Amino acid sequence: MALEREFCKWSFCEKPAVETIETDLLLVGGGMACTGAAVEAMAWAKAAGLKVTLVDKAALDRSGAVAMGLSAINTYIGSENKIADYVNMVRTDLMGIIREDLVYSVGAHVDQTVHDFQDWGLPIWQKDAENHTVDGQVARDEGLPLLKDGGKCVRSGRWQCMINGESYKVIVAEAAKNALGMENIYERVFIVKLLTDKANANRVCGAVGFSVREHKTYVFKCKAMIIACGGVVNVFRPRSVGEGQGRAWYPVWNAGSTYAMPAEIGAKMVLMENRFVPARFKDGYGPVGAWFLFFKAQATNAYGEDYMAKNWDRVKAEYPGYADAPGTCLRNHAAMIEMREGRGPIMMHTDKAMAKLAETLSKKELKHLEAEAWEDFLDMSISAACLWASFNMEPDKMPSEIIPSEPYLLGSHAGCAGLWVSGPAKNYMGAPDSWFWGYDRMTTVDGLFTAGDGVGASGHKFSSGSHAEGRMAAKGAIAFILDHKADKLEAAQNIDEVIADIYLPFEIFEKYKDYTSAPEINPNYLLPKQVQTRLQKLMDEYVAGCSTMYMCNKPSLEEGLKRLTLLKEDATRLAARDLHELMRAWEQYHRILSGEAHLRHILFREETRYPGYYYRSDFLKIDDTKWKVFTISSYDKNTNEWKFETEPYKQLVK
Amino acid sequence: MPSFVIVEKCDGCKALDKTACQYICPNDLMVLNAESKKAVNQEPEQCWECYNCVKICPQQAIEVRHYADIMPLGSSTIPLRGTDNIMWTIKFRNQKTIKRFKFPIRTTAEGSIDCFKGFTLSSDFADLKKPGFYTGKARTE
C-alpha cells in the first residue's frame, strides 16, 4: 500500500518570497564546466545581445570538484601526443565503449583551455633549459616560454602535467566572474526542478530553486540551459563510519542533480551502470597517480608480492582483448583478487621509491622531491597529509596502505556515466547520423545542454577537459538560442505548485513535529540524513558496494530495487527543519533517482563490463557479441516507468 | 577532520555582513550562532576537510580536528594563505616532526584577470557551429 500523499498548502509553513529572472542562457552549476561555459558564452553573447546567468549552490570561488585545489591537470595533449592516441587511451580505460566523437573533440580543444589557465595565472610546473623541474612561479620569474609558445610542462604521466593548484578554482572562477559580471551570478541558490514548455514537452524553458540563506524562491526563465553540477557522491555506504564520511574521494556535496533533474523531464541517460571506484591512499583518499607515475612507486599485497605481475596472466585470460594495456578497473581487479583471497592490505611502497630516487638525486633535489610529494596531497586532499602526520608517518620511511573506495557515479574522471548528448557536427570523424541532432552537447531535451560529469560515454576529461567541454556546450547553446529566436516559451508546470512541492518538507515538519517528544523520531516523516543512510545501505548491500566486494546478481539487484522503490515513496515524506536541511532533502531526492538509474542499468547489462568497478556474479565475463553497445535509458516521471534501448558502439579512431 | 572554531579567536566577523567561513564553505556547514556570535560547523560528518574556512578566516580562528573515526589526536596542519603563495606547517602527533612547505598559488595579481583583453570577439555566428574557442583554434591533425 502506498503512503498517503502530503501536499504543501502553506497551512503550517510560510510562503517564501519569489523572484523571477528572465535570461537567455542559464548555467546551472559553478564548477569547471559551468565556469568554462561562462567565459565562452559571454564571448558570443555580447555581440548577439544575449543575457547569460549562472546559479551556484555554493560560492563560485570554491565550489565543485576543484574547490580544494588540484595538484595536476590530468588532460593536456601537448605537441608530443596525438589526439587519436588520447582517444585510444580513453577507449582502453573505459573497456571499449565510448563516444569517440565526444572524446576526440575534447582532445582537440583542451590544450587551448589549459593555455588560457596559464595566461590567467595558474602556476604550471615547467622544465627549464637544463631540463630541471621548476614550479609555476619560478617558470615565470625565469622567463621560460609559456606552454602555448612551446614551453615544456612537467609530465607526471603521459597526459598529466603538474601544477601548483591550490587556487586553481579561484582563478577559473575569477575569469568567469569577470566575464559574466557579479550581477548575473546567483550564489547559494539550489536549483531542484526544471521547467518545460507548454507547447513542447521536450523543450526546457526554465528552472526553479531556493536560496539556502533566506526564505526565497528563484524562478529562472531561459531559452537554453547548461546543467553541470557534478556527479554523485554518498549514494553508497562509505567505508568511513562516522565523521570520516565527509572525506569522500569526490566532493561530498555532489548529489546527482546533473542526472536527476534532466531525467525527470525525459533526458536520456547512457552507461549509467558505469561507476568509478578509485584505489586511493586509505581513509585520507590522497591521489596515487603521482606516486605511481612520477615517483615510480610499486604497490604490493601485504606480503610484498607485486599483484599486477602476479595476477596479470590470469586477468588476461579472464578478459581476453581487454587486458593488453592495464586500464583503471582492471588494475583494481588485480588488487581485489588479493583482497578477496585474504592477502590484503594493499601497500604502496613510497619508502622504497624515495630510497631509489635518493640514489641518483642530490640532497637539494631530494628535499624538493619530498615537498612535491606533500604538495600532491596538500593541494587536493589535505586530509591525506594530515593522516600521515596523525600516524607519525613519513612517506620516505614507511609504506602507506591503499584501498578501493566506495563507488562514485561520474562522467569526467575514469568513469563514463551521464547523459546521452549530441556530438559536435554531422558525421564528425565518421560518426553515425544518430549521434548528432543539431547542437554540440545538447541532451535529448531541446535546449538542455550539459558538460563535464554530465556528458556520458566519454570519461577522462578531468578538470581541464570539463572546462573545455563547458565552453563547447556554451557555443552549442548560444547557436541554439540564435536559431530559435522566434520561439515563445511558457512553462507547462504551474509555478505555484512547483514552489509548494519544493517546500513540502517544511510543511511536513511543521505539521507533525509536536506529535512526538523527539524531532528525530516521528512516524510521519523521515529526515534527510535518515533517507541518506537507508539509500547508502541498500545500494551497498544489493548493488555491489564495498561490503560485498563490489559483487551483485539479478536477485540481489531485484531486492535492491524493491527497497529503493519503497524508499522513493518514503522520500515524499522528507521533512526539513531549516533551509540547510531543505537543501539536504532535495539532495537526497536527486541521489535516489541517480541511484535508481545506476541500479536499473546494472540490471539491464547482463555481463561484467567493468571488472574491478563491479561484478555481475551471474554474468562474470565480458560479452562483446551482445553488449558492445551503449545502454540508454529514459525515465517517465508521470508513469514512474523506465525504458531501455541500446545503440551500437562504433569505432571512429584507429 | 571537521573544522572547529576557537571561541577566543572568533569574533563572528562582526565587521562583515556575513561570516567569511559561512560565505565560503562549499557544503554550507558553517553557521553563526545567534546567541554566542561565534561560527559553528553544523554538520561535522559532512565536512570534506577542504580547509577553505581555515584559509579564509581573518582571525585564524578555525582549525581542524581530524575525523574521529579515522585519525589519532595530536597532529596539526595549518595553512597560511597569502595573495600569491601558501605556507603549510605540519606538526606530527609525536610533536617532534615538523614539516614546513611554501608553494605558489597564482602568478597574476588577485582580481587582475580580464579574459577578453587582447581578443577580437567574432560576430560571425556561423563560427559557433565550427570548432575552436574565442581564445584560439581547435587543434587539427
Side-chain angles (χ1 to χ4, degrees):
Chain A
M1 195 188 75
L3 283 177
E4 193 187 332
R5 204 174 148 197
E6 294 278 350
F7 293 92
C8 174
K9 294 173 187 156
W10 310 110
S11 310
F12 301 89
C13 80
E14 237 179 276
K15 262 190 189 176
V18 180
E19 185 176 340
T20 303
I21 294 117
E22 306 258 355
T23 188
D24 293 299
L25 175 59
L26 181 67
L27 310 177
V28 178
M32 293 305 285
C34 276
T35 47
V39 290
E40 193 66 31
M42 284 311 295
W44 299 90
K46 282 183 182 178
L50 299 177
K51 185 176 167 187
V52 182
T53 305
L54 183 147
V55 53
D56 189 336
K57 183 168 80 168
L60 201 63
D61 274 358
R62 297 287 192 178
S63 59
V66 188
M68 191 166 1
L70 278 183
S71 61
I73 284 173
N74 278 0
T75 306
Y76 179 67
I77 310 292
S79 55
E80 67 272 40
N81 288 307
K82 286 202 173 348
I83 303 169
D85 290 334
Y86 167 67
V87 177
N88 289 330
M89 175 276 290
V90 179
R91 184 198 307 113
T92 300
D93 203 69
L94 293 170
M95 305 304 281
I97 308 172
I98 53 164
R99 279 276 302 275
E100 298 184 8
D101 55 336
L102 301 174
V103 177
Y104 192 95
S105 57
V106 165
H109 285 83
V110 68
D111 286 9
Q112 181 59 50
T113 233
V114 174
H115 296 161
D116 294 336
F117 292 160
Q118 197 175 29
D119 276 340
W120 295 340
L122 179 68
I124 300 179
W125 296 13
Q126 287 191 237
K127 292 282 190 189
D128 67 12
E130 283 86 46
N131 212 32
H132 289 131
T133 295
V134 296
D135 73 36
Q137 182 61 54
V138 174
R140 299 281 62 75
D141 295 345
E142 290 186 356
L144 297 179
L146 295 164
L147 298 192
K148 68 176 175 192
D149 300 322
K152 279 204 176 82
C153 66
V154 177
R155 294 293 196 181
S156 48
R158 182 167 177 188
W159 311 100
Q160 293 82 0
C161 54
M162 301 300 286
I163 60 175
N164 306 102
E166 190 277 338
S167 291
Y168 189 0
K169 182 64 204 303
V170 180
I171 291 165
V172 170
E174 188 180 311
K177 285 180 177 178
N178 169 265
L180 287 171
M182 278 315 284
E183 67 279 13
N184 293 310
I185 298 174
Y186 293 80
E187 295 182 331
R188 301 291 172 191
V189 173
F190 183 25
I191 295 294
V192 294
K193 299 262 177 199
L194 305 187
L195 301 173
T196 52
D197 181 36
K198 210 171 211 169
N200 176 7
N202 195 46
R203 168 80 191 266
V204 76
C205 70
V208 187
F210 60 93
S211 165
V212 299
R213 290 281 184 265
E214 54 183 332
H215 196 46
K216 186 172 177 184
T217 304
Y218 286 86
V219 179
F220 294 93
K221 296 188 170 170
C222 64
K223 307 275 171 46
M225 182 188 300
I226 300 175
I227 181 162
C229 15
V232 198
V233 176
N234 264 334
V235 75
F236 281 85
R237 172 162 55 194
R239 285 191 178 274
S240 289
V241 293
E243 283 176 351
Q245 294 198 19
R247 182 83 287 277
W249 161 78
Y250 217 42
V252 59
W253 47 84
N254 271 12
S257 309
T258 311
Y259 309 136
M261 287 190 278
E264 281 203 315
I265 60 165
K268 289 182 179 178
M269 290 181 277
V270 64
L271 295 178
M272 283 299 288
E273 64 272 33
N274 181 269
R275 56 168 67 173
F276 182 42
V277 174
R280 290 293 181 272
F281 284 101
K282 187 168 175 292
D283 298 331
Y285 288 165
V288 295
W291 279 102
F292 276 129
L293 302 166
F294 194 64
F295 301 110
K296 313 284 180 209
Q298 196 188 42
T300 69
N301 68 16
Y303 302 100
E305 292 176 299
D306 178 342
Y307 58 82
M308 287 294 285
K310 182 184 168 190
N311 294 330
W312 206 249
D313 282 342
R314 173 174 163 181
V315 177
K316 274 186 174 169
E318 286 174 333
Y319 303 105
Y322 283 93
D324 299 333
T328 312
C329 68
L330 288 177
R331 287 201 304 269
N332 277 3
H333 177 56
M336 286 175 186
I337 291 171
E338 297 305 300
M339 293 174 71
R340 278 196 202 95
E341 293 176 5
R343 290 183 295 275
I346 305 295
M347 305 303 291
M348 173 82 87
H349 294 277
T350 55
D351 50 337
K352 286 183 188 150
M354 289 295 229
K356 184 124 199 238
L357 288 163
E359 288 169 12
T360 52
L361 296 178
S362 70
K363 244 194 172 149
K364 196 180 153 202
E365 284 171 317
L366 206 62
K367 182 105 188 125
H368 196 65
L369 199 73
E370 192 205 357
E372 287 167 0
W374 283 87
E375 184 181 10
D376 190 33
F377 285 2
L378 293 169
D379 275 352
M380 63 193 285
S381 63
I382 302 161
S383 308
C386 305
L387 188 131
W388 275 346
S390 72
F391 281 95
N392 295 322
M393 289 170 70
E394 289 181 80
D396 53 335
K397 298 201 172 70
M398 61 185 86
S400 285
E401 193 178 340
I402 56 176
I403 197 166
S405 74
E406 55 284 333
Y408 297 85
L409 312 183
L410 48 77
S412 71
H413 203 279
C416 55
L419 298 160
W420 180 245
V421 301
S422 170
K426 193 170 164 57
N427 303 129
Y428 184 85
M429 313 284 300
D433 287 347
S434 56
W435 294 6
F436 176 72
W437 48 94
Y439 302 93
D440 198 1
R441 267 70 180 179
M442 188 165 82
T443 69
T444 56
V445 172
D446 293 345
L448 181 64
F449 294 74
T450 188
D453 280 324
V455 173
S458 68
H460 287 271
K461 295 165 241 186
F462 301 102
S463 61
S464 51
S466 295
H467 192 269
E469 194 170 48
R471 297 175 75 169
M472 295 155 76
K475 285 172 61 200
I478 298 278
F480 177 91
I481 293 168
L482 293 175
D483 286 352
H484 294 79
K485 272 204 144 162
D487 291 7
K488 296 266 176 287
L489 302 172
E490 193 191 338
Q493 293 79 1
N494 178 319
I495 303 286
D496 287 337
E497 282 175 21
V498 173
I499 295 171
D501 194 24
I502 290 174
Y503 289 88
L504 179 62
F506 273 1
E507 181 89 346
I508 288 177
F509 178 74
E510 295 300 326
K511 184 174 169 186
Y512 292 112
K513 66 177 182 188
D514 296 329
Y515 179 63
T516 68
S517 61
E520 289 83 13
I521 319 167
N522 193 309
N524 298 296
Y525 60 72
L526 288 172
L527 294 170
K529 197 157 286 178
Q530 294 161 342
V531 169
Q532 177 163 4
T533 51
R534 193 179 336 152
L535 176 66
Q536 290 179 340
K537 181 172 160 66
L538 80 88
M539 292 298 288
D540 180 54
E541 291 176 339
Y542 300 106
V543 196
C546 311
S547 70
T548 60
M549 276 304 282
Y550 314 97
M551 199 65 86
C552 65
N553 55 33
K554 189 163 187 254
S556 82
L557 291 162
E558 285 172 345
E559 179 59 30
L561 188 55
K562 232 187 271 174
R563 290 170 185 242
L564 187 92
T565 305
L566 293 170
L567 176 62
K568 201 172 166 187
E569 225 176 271
D570 283 5
T572 61
R573 294 291 188 99
L574 269 160
R577 290 169 285 192
D578 55 30
L579 286 166
H580 178 73
E581 212 163 49
L582 187 65
M583 178 178 81
R584 291 285 182 255
W586 283 102
E587 286 176 343
Q588 302 320 343
Y589 182 80
H590 291 165
R591 278 194 180 96
I592 290 171
L593 214 56
S594 306
E596 183 177 2
H598 186 51
L599 186 158
R600 287 181 183 272
H601 269 255
I602 292 179
L603 190 57
F604 182 69
R605 181 180 282 280
E606 295 184 325
E607 64 158 358
T608 296
R609 174 61 53 175
Y610 308 106
Y613 285 174
Y614 77 85
Y615 305 85
R616 279 287 303 255
S617 65
D618 42 357
F619 301 96
L620 266 176
K621 297 284 171 202
I622 292 177
D623 178 4
D624 274 346
T625 57
K626 194 172 168 204
W627 290 108
K628 189 114 186 201
V629 293
F630 301 102
T631 48
I632 299 171
S633 66
S634 50
Y635 174 59
D636 184 334
K637 195 183 182 230
N638 297 318
T639 60
N640 198 23
E641 279 169 4
W642 294 73
K643 272 198 200 121
F644 276 86
E645 60 191 300
T646 60
E647 167 90 14
Y649 161 76
K650 187 181 176 190
Q651 183 169 354
L652 307 180
V653 174
K654 299 294 171 205
Chain B
M1 91 172 173
S3 59
F4 64 88
V5 178
I6 300 165
V7 173
E8 268 189 15
K9 290 187 183 173
C10 175
D11 68 353
C13 284
K14 48 179 177 265
L16 306 170
D17 62 338
K18 55 183 166 268
T19 69
C21 55
Q22 188 175 15
Y23 168 71
I24 207 67
C25 175
N27 207 14
D28 190 38
L29 301 184
M30 303 307 291
V31 286
L32 187 68
N33 181 302
E35 280 167 29
S36 68
K37 303 285 180 212
K38 307 287 176 187
V40 179
N41 183 337
Q42 62 176 326
E43 218 185 344
E45 73 283 6
Q46 291 296 307
C47 176
W48 207 37
E49 293 194 358
C50 70
Y51 269 73
N52 285 318
C53 56
V54 180
K55 290 171 184 172
I56 206 171
C57 178
Q59 296 291 318
Q60 294 171 34
I62 310 184
E63 295 178 14
V64 172
R65 189 270 295 135
H66 298 283
Y67 303 118
D69 55 336
I70 299 171
M71 303 200 202
L73 291 171
S75 68
S76 68
T77 301
I78 311 278
L80 192 61
R81 184 177 180 270
T83 53
D84 60 2
N85 68 68
I86 187 163
M87 168 99 82
W88 289 95
T89 304
I90 301 166
K91 191 152 76 171
F92 279 42
R93 175 180 160 93
N94 62 22
Q95 306 299 307
K96 286 182 207 144
T97 314
I98 291 171
K99 308 262 179 197
R100 195 161 278 141
F101 304 109
K102 189 174 157 187
F103 307 116
I105 59 173
R106 66 185 292 169
T107 61
T108 53
E110 263 180 356
S112 68
I113 297 172
D114 184 349
C115 51
F116 300 127
K117 197 179 164 190
F119 295 101
T120 316
L121 301 181
S122 170
S123 52
D124 179 0
F125 299 117
D127 288 348
L128 280 165
K129 295 185 182 178
K130 295 176 189 156
F133 293 144
Y134 77 91
T135 52
K137 286 184 180 143
R139 199 164 141 166
T140 50
E141 281 171 9

